[in-house]
Amino acid sequence: MILVCGGIKGGVGKTTLATSMTVLRAAIGRDVLLVDADDQATATDFTAVRNETLAASGGAGYTSIKLHGAAVRNEVLKLAPKYDDVVIDVGGRDTAGQRAALLVADVYVVPFLPGSFDVWTLDSVGELVQEAKGFNDKLKAICMINRADAKGADNQEAADIAREIPGLDYIDAPLGNRKAFRSAASQGLTVTESKPPDPKAIKEIKALYKLLFDI
Ligand SMILES: Nc1ncnc2c1ncn2[C@@H]1O[C@H](COP(=O)(O)OP(=O)(O)O)[C@@H](O)[C@H]1O
Ligand SMILES: [Mg+2]
């Protein structure tokens, strides 16, 4: 499967999702290619740190490459048959790379933050998706809340708006705003691997994984 973590906002959790899904997928023995299509190269940095952290146990456990612009489509089309799964992390803007990723995606997942102007950018993402569907009829595009608030009505309000966006399906699999996600990433790990374990974060990421890979 080709999973793209996308959207046109920075800092919403695209790289966190892409790296976590890559790690969880590789953990069950799948041969996974992580494509970093963001010029800021955060996913590539993550993999470098991960290779150091896990040097004694054989390194990252997946293959990582960087691609830019139209190559995100062309190279992924060539490479995808050689891997069990491809996960693409894109930058937070409407770029050639983002559009190229939309053309090859099976699943396009867009994280957004509740209680901010974030949710309104989903309209533009929905338009991009609808355009891409004209060229990619297998495309399934979904959005989910990241850094959900522990309490208050913001999550619900954001979900209600997201449900109405044409082109995107809202899925109820939020990730809470938890320190564990940040501290795991800083070690090149995902929350299922870092210590001490945060059971809530682990439960959330596993629930999302199951939905995205339709298990
Ligand atoms: N659920 C979460 N809880 C707490 N911090 C998070 C969560 N998701 C992401 N972050 C942190 O937010 C920052 C931006 O996340 P990142 O995945 O890099 O976003 P993007 O790739 O969309 O720019 C990072 O420091 C990351 O560790
Ligand atoms: Mg990123």
Side-chain angles (χ1 to χ4, degrees), residues 113-115 145-155 175-178:
L113 311 187
I145 293 179
N146 186 26
R147 305 188 75 159
D149 298 323
K151 50 182 192 284
D154 282 355
N155 302 328
L175 302 180
N177 189 14
R178 305 185 191 286

Side-chain angles (χ1 to χ4, degrees), residues 140-213:
K140 204 172 155 225
I142 57 198
C143 59
M144 44 79 57
I145 293 179
N146 186 26
R147 305 188 75 159
D149 298 323
K151 50 182 192 284
D154 282 355
N155 302 328
Q156 194 53 51
E157 278 171 24
D160 288 343
I161 297 171
R163 276 194 191 93
E164 302 301 318
I165 310 268
L168 287 173
D169 290 330
Y170 173 78
I171 55 165
D172 188 24
L175 302 180
N177 189 14
R178 305 185 191 286
K179 203 174 124 209
F181 287 107
R182 275 194 305 280
S183 54
S186 67
Q187 303 164 73
L189 301 173
T190 189
V191 287
T192 54
E193 302 169 312
S194 61
K195 301 253 160 15
D198 177 337
K200 287 182 182 159
I202 293 171
K203 198 172 162 208
E204 287 169 350
I205 204 80
K206 284 190 171 169
L208 180 61
Y209 169 80
K210 281 189 180 154
L211 276 177
L212 292 181
F213 288 95

Side-chain angles (χ1 to χ4, degrees), residues 43-54:
T44 305
D45 293 343
F46 172 92
T47 302
V49 175
R50 183 173 178 82
N51 273 318
E52 273 174 41
T53 302
L54 301 179

Side-chain angles (χ1 to χ4, degrees), residues 2-18:
I2 302 180
L3 173 71
V4 176
C5 301
I8 55 172
K9 275 280 281 180
V12 292
K14 296 182 297 300
T15 304
T16 303
L17 271 192

Side-chain angles (χ1 to χ4, degrees), residues 18-78:
T19 52
S20 298
M21 293 307 122
T22 298
V23 167
L24 288 174
R25 205 68 181 145
I28 59 162
R30 308 270 299 182
D31 192 6
V32 186
L33 177 68
L34 173 62
V35 175
D36 190 348
D38 180 3
D39 291 336
Q40 290 187 4
T42 318
T44 305
D45 293 343
F46 172 92
T47 302
V49 175
R50 183 173 178 82
N51 273 318
E52 273 174 41
T53 302
L54 301 179
S57 51
Y62 56 84
T63 305
S64 153
I65 58 165
K66 262 183 82 19
L67 293 173
H68 175 86
V72 174
R73 174 176 178 273
N74 301 334
E75 297 302 313
V76 167
L77 283 177
K78 281 189 273 177

